[in-house]
Short mmCIF file of all heavy atoms in Angstrom, two decimals:
data_model
loop_
_atom_site.label_atom_id
_atom_site.label_comp_id
_atom_site.label_asym_id
_atom_site.label_seq_id
_atom_site.Cartn_x
_atom_site.Cartn_y
_atom_site.Cartn_z
N GLN A 113 108.94 101.70 98.33
CA GLN A 113 109.62 101.83 97.04
C GLN A 113 111.10 101.48 97.16
O GLN A 113 111.69 100.87 96.27
CB GLN A 113 109.44 103.24 96.49
CG GLN A 113 108.01 103.53 96.09
CD GLN A 113 107.79 104.99 95.69
OE1 GLN A 113 108.65 105.83 95.88
NE2 GLN A 113 106.62 105.27 95.13
N ILE A 114 111.71 101.87 98.28
CA ILE A 114 113.13 101.56 98.50
C ILE A 114 113.32 100.06 98.61
O ILE A 114 114.27 99.50 98.06
CB ILE A 114 113.64 102.31 99.75
CG1 ILE A 114 113.73 103.82 99.45
CG2 ILE A 114 114.99 101.76 100.20
CD1 ILE A 114 113.90 104.69 100.68
N LYS A 115 112.43 99.40 99.32
CA LYS A 115 112.52 97.94 99.45
C LYS A 115 112.38 97.28 98.08
O LYS A 115 113.06 96.28 97.80
CB LYS A 115 111.47 97.44 100.43
CG LYS A 115 111.79 97.80 101.86
CD LYS A 115 110.68 97.38 102.81
CE LYS A 115 110.98 97.84 104.23
NZ LYS A 115 109.88 97.51 105.15
N ASN A 116 111.55 97.84 97.23
CA ASN A 116 111.43 97.31 95.86
C ASN A 116 112.73 97.50 95.10
O ASN A 116 113.17 96.61 94.37
CB ASN A 116 110.28 97.99 95.12
CG ASN A 116 108.92 97.49 95.56
OD1 ASN A 116 108.79 96.40 96.10
ND2 ASN A 116 107.91 98.31 95.36
N LEU A 117 113.35 98.65 95.26
CA LEU A 117 114.64 98.89 94.60
C LEU A 117 115.67 97.86 95.04
O LEU A 117 116.42 97.33 94.22
CB LEU A 117 115.15 100.31 94.91
CG LEU A 117 114.46 101.47 94.22
CD1 LEU A 117 114.93 102.80 94.79
CD2 LEU A 117 114.69 101.42 92.72
N VAL A 118 115.70 97.58 96.34
CA VAL A 118 116.63 96.58 96.86
C VAL A 118 116.33 95.21 96.25
O VAL A 118 117.23 94.50 95.80
CB VAL A 118 116.58 96.53 98.40
CG1 VAL A 118 117.40 95.35 98.93
CG2 VAL A 118 117.08 97.84 99.00
N ALA A 119 115.06 94.86 96.21
CA ALA A 119 114.65 93.57 95.65
C ALA A 119 115.05 93.46 94.18
O ALA A 119 115.36 92.36 93.70
CB ALA A 119 113.15 93.38 95.82
N TRP A 120 115.05 94.57 93.47
CA TRP A 120 115.40 94.58 92.05
C TRP A 120 116.91 94.72 91.83
O TRP A 120 117.37 94.83 90.70
CB TRP A 120 114.67 95.70 91.32
CG TRP A 120 113.18 95.55 91.32
CD1 TRP A 120 112.45 94.40 91.34
CD2 TRP A 120 112.23 96.62 91.31
NE1 TRP A 120 111.11 94.67 91.36
CE2 TRP A 120 110.94 96.04 91.34
CE3 TRP A 120 112.34 98.00 91.30
CZ2 TRP A 120 109.77 96.78 91.35
CZ3 TRP A 120 111.17 98.75 91.31
CH2 TRP A 120 109.90 98.14 91.32
N GLY A 121 117.66 94.78 92.93
CA GLY A 121 119.11 94.89 92.82
C GLY A 121 119.63 96.30 92.59
O GLY A 121 120.80 96.48 92.29
N GLU A 122 118.78 97.27 92.74
CA GLU A 122 119.16 98.68 92.53
C GLU A 122 119.62 99.30 93.86
O GLU A 122 119.05 100.26 94.35
CB GLU A 122 117.98 99.47 91.96
CG GLU A 122 117.47 98.95 90.64
CD GLU A 122 118.42 99.23 89.50
OE1 GLU A 122 119.26 100.15 89.60
OE2 GLU A 122 118.33 98.53 88.48
N THR A 123 120.69 98.73 94.42
CA THR A 123 121.11 99.15 95.76
C THR A 123 121.63 100.59 95.82
O THR A 123 121.42 101.27 96.81
CB THR A 123 122.15 98.19 96.35
OG1 THR A 123 123.25 98.09 95.44
CG2 THR A 123 121.55 96.82 96.59
N GLU A 124 122.31 101.02 94.77
CA GLU A 124 122.83 102.41 94.79
C GLU A 124 121.68 103.41 94.81
O GLU A 124 121.73 104.40 95.55
CB GLU A 124 123.76 102.66 93.61
CG GLU A 124 125.10 101.96 93.74
CD GLU A 124 125.84 102.32 95.02
OE1 GLU A 124 125.94 103.51 95.36
OE2 GLU A 124 126.33 101.38 95.68
N GLN A 125 120.65 103.17 94.01
CA GLN A 125 119.49 104.06 94.03
C GLN A 125 118.78 103.97 95.38
O GLN A 125 118.29 104.97 95.90
CB GLN A 125 118.53 103.74 92.90
CG GLN A 125 119.02 104.19 91.55
CD GLN A 125 117.98 104.01 90.47
OE1 GLN A 125 116.94 103.40 90.67
NE2 GLN A 125 118.25 104.57 89.30
N ALA A 126 118.72 102.77 95.94
CA ALA A 126 118.09 102.59 97.25
C ALA A 126 118.84 103.37 98.32
O ALA A 126 118.23 104.02 99.17
CB ALA A 126 118.02 101.11 97.61
N LYS A 127 120.18 103.34 98.28
CA LYS A 127 120.99 104.09 99.24
C LYS A 127 120.71 105.58 99.14
O LYS A 127 120.53 106.27 100.16
CB LYS A 127 122.48 103.85 99.00
CG LYS A 127 122.96 102.49 99.42
CD LYS A 127 124.45 102.37 99.12
CE LYS A 127 124.96 100.98 99.25
NZ LYS A 127 126.40 100.88 98.94
N LYS A 128 120.67 106.09 97.91
CA LYS A 128 120.41 107.53 97.72
C LYS A 128 119.03 107.91 98.25
O LYS A 128 118.87 108.93 98.91
CB LYS A 128 120.53 107.89 96.24
CG LYS A 128 121.93 107.84 95.71
CD LYS A 128 121.98 108.13 94.22
CE LYS A 128 123.37 107.96 93.68
NZ LYS A 128 123.44 108.15 92.22
N ALA A 129 118.04 107.07 97.96
CA ALA A 129 116.68 107.35 98.43
C ALA A 129 116.62 107.29 99.95
O ALA A 129 115.96 108.11 100.59
CB ALA A 129 115.70 106.36 97.80
N LEU A 130 117.31 106.34 100.54
CA LEU A 130 117.33 106.23 102.01
C LEU A 130 118.00 107.45 102.64
O LEU A 130 117.54 107.96 103.66
CB LEU A 130 118.06 104.96 102.44
CG LEU A 130 117.25 103.68 102.38
CD1 LEU A 130 118.15 102.46 102.50
CD2 LEU A 130 116.18 103.68 103.46
N GLN A 131 119.08 107.91 102.04
CA GLN A 131 119.76 109.09 102.56
C GLN A 131 118.83 110.31 102.51
O GLN A 131 118.81 111.12 103.45
CB GLN A 131 121.06 109.34 101.80
CG GLN A 131 122.11 108.30 102.12
CD GLN A 131 123.28 108.31 101.16
OE1 GLN A 131 123.19 108.77 100.03
NE2 GLN A 131 124.40 107.76 101.62
N GLN A 132 118.06 110.43 101.45
CA GLN A 132 117.09 111.52 101.36
C GLN A 132 116.00 111.36 102.41
O GLN A 132 115.60 112.32 103.06
CB GLN A 132 116.47 111.58 99.97
CG GLN A 132 117.42 112.04 98.91
CD GLN A 132 116.80 112.01 97.52
OE1 GLN A 132 115.83 111.31 97.28
NE2 GLN A 132 117.38 112.77 96.61
N LEU A 133 115.52 110.13 102.57
CA LEU A 133 114.48 109.87 103.55
C LEU A 133 114.96 110.22 104.95
O LEU A 133 114.24 110.86 105.72
CB LEU A 133 114.04 108.40 103.49
CG LEU A 133 113.00 107.95 104.52
CD1 LEU A 133 111.72 108.75 104.39
CD2 LEU A 133 112.73 106.46 104.37
N ILE A 134 116.18 109.84 105.28
CA ILE A 134 116.72 110.13 106.61
C ILE A 134 116.92 111.63 106.81
O ILE A 134 116.80 112.12 107.93
CB ILE A 134 118.02 109.33 106.84
CG1 ILE A 134 117.67 107.84 106.95
CG2 ILE A 134 118.77 109.81 108.06
CD1 ILE A 134 118.86 106.90 106.95
N THR A 135 117.17 112.35 105.74
CA THR A 135 117.27 113.81 105.85
C THR A 135 115.95 114.41 106.35
O THR A 135 115.93 115.31 107.18
CB THR A 135 117.64 114.43 104.49
OG1 THR A 135 118.90 113.91 104.09
CG2 THR A 135 117.71 115.94 104.58
N PHE A 136 114.84 113.87 105.83
CA PHE A 136 113.53 114.39 106.21
C PHE A 136 112.98 113.73 107.47
O PHE A 136 112.16 114.32 108.17
CB PHE A 136 112.54 114.22 105.05
CG PHE A 136 112.89 115.04 103.86
CD1 PHE A 136 113.41 114.45 102.72
CD2 PHE A 136 112.74 116.42 103.88
CE1 PHE A 136 113.76 115.22 101.62
CE2 PHE A 136 113.09 117.20 102.79
CZ PHE A 136 113.60 116.60 101.65
N CYS A 137 113.39 112.51 107.73
CA CYS A 137 112.89 111.75 108.89
C CYS A 137 114.10 111.19 109.65
O CYS A 137 114.36 109.98 109.60
CB CYS A 137 111.97 110.62 108.46
SG CYS A 137 110.55 111.16 107.52
N PRO A 138 114.85 112.04 110.34
CA PRO A 138 116.10 111.60 110.96
C PRO A 138 115.93 110.56 112.08
O PRO A 138 116.90 109.90 112.44
CB PRO A 138 116.70 112.90 111.50
CG PRO A 138 115.56 113.83 111.63
CD PRO A 138 114.58 113.44 110.58
N ASN A 139 114.74 110.39 112.59
CA ASN A 139 114.52 109.44 113.67
C ASN A 139 113.93 108.12 113.20
O ASN A 139 113.52 107.29 114.00
CB ASN A 139 113.60 110.05 114.74
CG ASN A 139 114.23 111.25 115.39
OD1 ASN A 139 115.43 111.32 115.58
ND2 ASN A 139 113.42 112.23 115.72
N ASP A 140 113.89 107.91 111.89
CA ASP A 140 113.32 106.69 111.35
C ASP A 140 114.34 105.55 111.47
O ASP A 140 115.27 105.44 110.67
CB ASP A 140 112.91 106.89 109.88
CG ASP A 140 112.08 105.75 109.34
OD1 ASP A 140 112.45 104.58 109.59
OD2 ASP A 140 111.08 106.02 108.67
N GLU A 141 114.15 104.73 112.48
CA GLU A 141 115.11 103.66 112.76
C GLU A 141 115.13 102.59 111.66
O GLU A 141 116.18 102.03 111.36
CB GLU A 141 114.81 103.03 114.12
CG GLU A 141 115.05 103.98 115.30
CD GLU A 141 116.46 104.53 115.37
OE1 GLU A 141 117.41 103.77 115.11
OE2 GLU A 141 116.62 105.72 115.69
N GLU A 142 113.98 102.32 111.07
CA GLU A 142 113.94 101.32 110.00
C GLU A 142 114.78 101.77 108.81
O GLU A 142 115.54 100.99 108.24
CB GLU A 142 112.49 101.06 109.57
CG GLU A 142 112.38 99.98 108.51
CD GLU A 142 110.96 99.74 108.03
OE1 GLU A 142 110.06 100.55 108.33
OE2 GLU A 142 110.76 98.72 107.35
N ALA A 143 114.66 103.04 108.45
CA ALA A 143 115.43 103.57 107.33
C ALA A 143 116.93 103.55 107.65
O ALA A 143 117.74 103.17 106.81
CB ALA A 143 114.97 104.99 106.99
N LYS A 144 117.30 103.94 108.87
CA LYS A 144 118.70 103.91 109.27
C LYS A 144 119.26 102.49 109.22
O LYS A 144 120.37 102.26 108.76
CB LYS A 144 118.86 104.48 110.67
CG LYS A 144 118.67 105.96 110.79
CD LYS A 144 118.85 106.37 112.23
CE LYS A 144 118.55 107.81 112.47
NZ LYS A 144 118.69 108.16 113.90
N SER A 145 118.46 101.56 109.70
CA SER A 145 118.89 100.17 109.73
C SER A 145 119.09 99.63 108.32
O SER A 145 120.09 98.96 108.04
CB SER A 145 117.86 99.33 110.48
OG SER A 145 118.19 97.98 110.46
N LEU A 146 118.16 99.92 107.45
CA LEU A 146 118.27 99.45 106.06
C LEU A 146 119.47 100.08 105.38
O LEU A 146 120.21 99.40 104.65
CB LEU A 146 116.99 99.75 105.28
CG LEU A 146 116.91 99.21 103.86
CD1 LEU A 146 117.17 97.71 103.81
CD2 LEU A 146 115.55 99.51 103.26
N LEU A 147 119.72 101.34 105.65
CA LEU A 147 120.89 102.00 105.07
C LEU A 147 122.16 101.34 105.58
O LEU A 147 123.11 101.10 104.82
CB LEU A 147 120.87 103.50 105.40
CG LEU A 147 121.93 104.35 104.73
CD1 LEU A 147 121.81 104.27 103.21
CD2 LEU A 147 121.80 105.79 105.19
N TRP A 148 122.21 101.01 106.85
CA TRP A 148 123.37 100.33 107.43
C TRP A 148 123.57 98.97 106.77
O TRP A 148 124.69 98.60 106.43
CB TRP A 148 123.18 100.18 108.94
CG TRP A 148 124.35 99.58 109.62
CD1 TRP A 148 125.51 100.19 110.00
CD2 TRP A 148 124.50 98.20 109.99
NE1 TRP A 148 126.36 99.28 110.57
CE2 TRP A 148 125.77 98.06 110.58
CE3 TRP A 148 123.68 97.08 109.86
CZ2 TRP A 148 126.24 96.83 111.05
CZ3 TRP A 148 124.15 95.87 110.34
CH2 TRP A 148 125.40 95.75 110.92
N VAL A 149 122.49 98.24 106.57
CA VAL A 149 122.56 96.92 105.93
C VAL A 149 123.11 97.05 104.51
O VAL A 149 123.89 96.20 104.07
CB VAL A 149 121.18 96.23 105.93
CG1 VAL A 149 121.16 95.02 105.01
CG2 VAL A 149 120.77 95.84 107.33
N LEU A 150 122.75 98.11 103.84
CA LEU A 150 123.21 98.30 102.46
C LEU A 150 124.65 98.81 102.40
O LEU A 150 125.23 98.92 101.33
CB LEU A 150 122.30 99.27 101.72
CG LEU A 150 120.89 98.75 101.45
CD1 LEU A 150 120.04 99.84 100.78
CD2 LEU A 150 120.90 97.50 100.60
N GLY A 151 125.21 99.16 103.56
CA GLY A 151 126.62 99.53 103.60
C GLY A 151 126.90 100.99 103.37
O GLY A 151 127.99 101.35 102.99
#
């Protein structure tokens, strides 16, 4: 769903969702990487 948000240009919502995801899954490297890419 986050990748869809990014594809639709909804980067701020994607960042918020990624931050929530990392809260629950702190070792998820893909989520961390995507959050880093989004700035």
Side-chain angles (χ1 to χ4, degrees):
Q113 292 174 349
I114 289 166
K115 289 176 184 177
N116 285 337
L117 286 171
V118 172
W120 297 329
E122 300 289 338
T123 56
E124 288 304 313
Q125 286 187 351
K127 287 179 191 180
K128 290 176 185 177
L130 280 166
Q131 290 167 337
Q132 289 177 339
L133 176 59
I134 291 170
T135 299
F136 295 107
C137 302
N139 297 325
D140 191 316
E141 294 302 321
E142 183 182 13
K144 288 180 185 178
S145 176
L146 185 54
L147 187 59
W148 184 80
V149 167
L150 292 176

